[in-house]
Amino acid sequence: MTPSFSRRVPDGDTVVRDVCDTCGFIAYQNPKIVAGAVVRYGTRILLCKRNIEPARGRWTLPAGYLENGESPVEGALREAFEEATAPIVIDSLLAIYTIRRLSQVQLIYRAHLDAPVFAPGPESQAVALFEPDEIPYEDIAFPTVRWALAHEREPGGPFVNPEIVDPKGPE
């Protein structure tokens, strides 16, 4: 028998969710977690030219969704290797970005290469090191990449984008 779901507020909850009419199973929809890094080799920054949609042909940081059972640091290391075959070293957390409209939380790290060893992985058309004043900002894939590049230049950290809290309750 195929389960039937209806949208309702489950007992003990405050949010409308998909609930199985037969067994009461609640199908939670949770945010996606992205991990990535601003990777430096000396003064230059590693960027990947995307070979996949969205934003195919635009430049981005090595980053992507976490896999089940993976820590954010492990995810950032894996993404750098998948996209740029780059064996990076994580230095510190750079920023946490919450993108509510996409239900995403992004953890972006400061990282470095011990040697300029990299090449495009299957998700990248090209991989290159850019001096900060040579970054092709007109061809950057996502706003969060611009934010991370700006925050990477600032001392201190990590940066956490502010949450706007409505005293009347959640949106």
Side-chain angles (χ1 to χ4, degrees), residues 18-29:
D18 292 327
V19 180
C20 178
D21 296 322
T22 305
C23 70
F25 173 81
I26 303 167
Y28 291 98
Q29 298 284 322

Side-chain angles (χ1 to χ4, degrees), residues 7 10-11 17-18 30 32-34 40 60 62 66-67 88 94 105 110 120 133 135 143:
R7 303 234 352 118
D11 290 340
R17 304 185 189 278
D18 292 327
N30 299 103
K32 296 285 189 179
I33 307 296
V34 171
R40 281 195 176 265
T60 190
L66 286 186
E67 298 292 343
I88 68 171
L94 170 65
V105 176
R110 291 179 198 269
D133 61 347
I135 292 171

Side-chain angles (χ1 to χ4, degrees), residues 13-154:
D13 205 336
T14 59
V15 177
V16 174
R17 304 185 189 278
D18 292 327
V19 180
C20 178
D21 296 322
T22 305
C23 70
F25 173 81
I26 303 167
Y28 291 98
Q29 298 284 322
N30 299 103
K32 296 285 189 179
I33 307 296
V34 171
V38 175
V39 181
R40 281 195 176 265
Y41 180 70
T43 59
R44 297 178 292 168
I45 296 173
L46 181 74
L47 294 178
C48 304
K49 192 172 205 177
R50 291 177 60 83
N51 196 31
I52 58 173
E53 293 295 348
R56 187 171 196 267
R58 294 183 160 282
W59 292 95
T60 190
L61 301 171
Y65 293 114
L66 286 186
E67 298 292 343
N68 288 333
E70 186 174 58
S71 77
V73 167
E74 291 167 336
L77 294 169
R78 177 185 50 76
E79 287 291 341
F81 199 79
E82 284 180 1
E83 295 178 12
T85 65
I88 68 171
V89 177
I90 301 291
D91 297 319
S92 63
L93 182 62
L94 170 65
I96 300 172
Y97 303 119
T98 301
I99 301 94
R100 297 181 109 189
R101 68 181 180 78
L102 300 176
S103 293
Q104 268 185 20
V105 176
Q106 296 189 11
L107 290 91
I108 306 298
Y109 294 90
R110 291 179 198 269
H112 71 272
L113 290 165
D114 285 331
V117 177
F118 56 86
E123 295 181 3
S124 299
Q125 295 175 2
V127 182
L129 290 168
F130 292 91
E131 289 292 342
D133 61 347
E134 297 172 345
I135 292 171
Y137 282 101
E138 67 282 357
D139 289 324
I140 293 294
F142 309 108
T144 52
V145 174
R146 283 188 189 85
W147 302 345
L149 291 169
H151 291 131
E152 200 277 337
R153 291 190 303 262
E154 298 172 6

